[in-house]
Amino acid sequence: MFLKVFKYDFKAIFFKFIPVLAVLPVLAILVRIVNLLDATNVFAGMVIVLFNGLFALSCCLLTIYTIVICIMRYVKSLFRDQGYLTHTLPVSKHHLLLSQLLADFLMELISIALIFICLFIAYFTPEIFSLIAQVLSEMFEIVISSEDLGSFAGTLILLVFAIFFQAIQSIFIIYTGVALGHSFPKNKGILSVVFCIAINYGINIINFILMIMVSILDFAVINVEQVFSYVNITLIITIVESFALSVVAYFLDIYLMKNKLCLE
């Protein structure tokens, strides 16, 4: 039953994403074409600037659009009229929340992948590929010469986990803010925004304190190995913090949906 709920949630979000899937690649193709124009011509230069500006703005708006449709879907499915039907489904609150989380996370991955694909369509050239290959080669040579490839691999793995848990944490900030806001009978939307801002502000304070604690350790960054050590400690703290906050937010959301739910 969980797979059916997830399939329904993902399709509901994805269908709202289809217009973007159609427009952004077309805009990327247009950018590729206009960039072939003679930039020394005043009119052509204006067209080039216009299309490149629109493309950059569209890429930025895509991330915002993805977050907005995920929030709207989450609120509509669990906290508005549709919530009366959703909460009667023969699945647990855990499955309802995990289904929303997985659908939103996959949608964010798709939006990021779409941006990279469109950037490739709009700007990729053999010269850029050669430049990227050269930079990566030089970075790899530095790591190899430091005789600390294991530390580099460990740092890379920690970075992937840190990005993953940070993404999950950012989703739960919104989920928890909305759940807290909708535990009140009135002004649910305003309270949801207030709680989201307050939670985010509180997490930023925690991050600031943790970074001060790390800096107190007073690492003397002398060589590559010590750089990796400092970065690894920072990433480990980030992972542990994001994981802990996500777990707390998850069970708080479950509790609110079970005991404090106030549907519109």
Side-chain angles (χ1 to χ4, degrees):
M1 187 65 183
F2 170 76
L3 292 178
K4 291 183 179 179
V5 175
F6 164 70
K7 182 179 179 181
Y8 177 78
D9 288 333
F10 181 74
K11 287 174 65 176
I13 297 174
F14 188 77
F15 284 152
K16 295 181 180 179
F17 203 72
I18 289 178
V20 179
L21 292 175
V23 172
L24 196 61
V26 172
L27 185 57
I29 294 173
L30 291 175
V31 169
R32 164 72 76 170
I33 294 173
V34 299
N35 283 341
L36 298 176
L37 298 175
D38 182 11
T40 59
N41 182 279
V42 176
F43 178 75
M46 293 177 60
V47 172
I48 292 173
V49 171
L50 175 62
F51 274 88
N52 280 273
L54 286 175
F55 180 68
L57 179 62
S58 299
C59 289
C60 294
L61 292 177
L62 173 59
T63 57
I64 299 174
Y65 178 77
T66 304
I67 295 172
V68 169
I69 61 174
C70 289
I71 295 173
M72 291 177 60
R73 173 62 192 168
Y74 175 69
V75 173
K76 180 180 178 180
S77 177
L78 296 177
F79 298 100
R80 289 187 177 170
D81 292 343
Q82 188 176 332
Y84 289 101
L85 175 61
T86 302
H87 289 287
T88 60
L89 294 174
V91 292
S92 66
K93 305 295 185 185
H94 295 278
H95 285 173
L96 291 177
L97 185 58
L98 288 174
S99 174
Q100 292 284 338
L101 176 65
L102 183 57
D104 290 352
F105 183 72
L106 287 178
M107 203 69 253
E108 288 188 2
L109 289 181
I110 291 174
S111 66
I112 293 172
L114 178 62
I115 290 175
F116 277 103
I117 291 172
C118 290
L119 287 172
F120 179 87
I121 294 173
Y123 299 115
F124 178 79
T125 62
E127 291 77 14
I128 292 178
F129 178 79
S130 299
L131 179 61
I132 294 174
Q134 181 182 353
V135 171
L136 292 177
S137 177
E138 292 177 356
M139 292 176 59
F140 187 73
E141 288 178 1
I142 294 174
V143 173
I144 294 297
S145 63
S146 70
E147 298 180 355
D148 204 26
L149 183 59
S151 296
F152 176 76
T155 301
L156 191 61
I157 293 172
L158 287 174
L159 179 61
V160 172
F161 276 101
I163 293 173
F164 171 78
F165 283 112
Q166 281 279 295
I168 298 298
Q169 175 189 294
S170 65
I171 294 175
F172 271 120
I173 289 174
I174 298 172
Y175 282 8
T176 305
V178 171
L180 286 170
H182 283 75
S183 64
F184 292 85
K186 295 181 179 180
N187 302 318
K188 298 180 179 66
I190 296 176
L191 288 174
S192 296
V193 174
V194 170
F195 278 119
C196 286
I197 295 174
I199 293 170
N200 188 63
Y201 185 73
I203 291 175
N204 288 336
I205 294 176
I206 294 174
N207 290 334
F208 179 72
I209 295 173
L210 289 175
M211 290 305 101
I212 291 178
M213 293 174 62
V214 172
S215 63
I216 290 175
L217 295 177
D218 193 24
F219 282 92
V221 180
I222 300 174
N223 53 44
V224 175
E225 183 178 353
Q226 289 180 325
V227 172
F228 283 136
S229 297
Y230 184 85
V231 172
N232 288 347
I233 290 176
T234 303
L235 290 175
I236 290 172
I237 292 174
T238 300
I239 292 170
V240 172
E241 178 201 4
S242 298
F243 177 77
L245 290 174
S246 297
V247 170
V248 171
Y250 173 82
F251 285 104
L252 177 60
D253 292 348
I254 295 296
Y255 171 79
L256 291 172
M257 283 195 291
K258 285 183 177 180
N259 302 286
K260 301 292 183 179
L261 188 63
C262 186
L263 296 175
E264 293 186 1

